[in-house]
Amino acid sequence: MKNYKQFKIQLDEEACPVATRDLHVNVENRQHAIDEYVYGPANPNEPGDYWSRLGKIWGISPEEASTMRCHNCAAFNVSPKMKKCMADAIGPNGMAVVDQAELGYCELLQFKCAGDRSCSVWLTNGPITK
């Protein structure tokens, strides 16, 4: 029995997060991030007032807020293992999609996250690369 539990724990640690494999779970978690943690902007190329809104939450200028992106957040996991998890779930061109969208996995909010976006739970000194 002890060997089984150790083996099961090892498998769980190696498994890909559910949200990387299940689109429905990912979309639910992303919507939660939008509703509760101001995940956005919807289109980073046309952010509208997004950076002003995020700046107000943090008490900083919109310009400073716009430097706090998922791609430099400490919860943004872009390790080779995580990129493979996301790419495998997408399909044959998965890695191209992951790279093009600069996808990572948000360890805090548990969803696939685009690097050019941000949210109110941003953490300094990222991303996770190993």
Side-chain angles (χ1 to χ4, degrees), residues 91-106:
N93 294 319
M95 195 55 76
V97 172
V98 168
D99 290 341
Q100 182 68 30
E102 196 182 353
L103 286 181
Y105 183 76
C106 178

Side-chain angles (χ1 to χ4, degrees), residues 33-99:
I34 292 167
D35 295 343
E36 297 294 324
Y37 301 102
V38 198
Y39 177 65
N43 180 351
N45 294 323
E46 296 182 27
D49 70 343
Y50 178 80
W51 298 115
S52 294
R53 290 187 296 124
L54 192 62
K56 284 179 185 173
I57 290 169
W58 284 95
I60 58 176
S61 72
E63 294 76 22
E64 186 175 358
S66 72
T67 69
M68 300 163 55
R69 306 282 180 132
C70 294
H71 68 77
N72 63 3
C73 176
F76 190 65
N77 189 334
V78 290
S79 66
K81 176 191 177 277
M82 192 59 70
K83 283 182 148 189
K84 183 174 180 351
C85 286
M86 293 183 293
D88 287 351
I90 293 169
N93 294 319
M95 195 55 76
V97 172
V98 168
D99 290 341

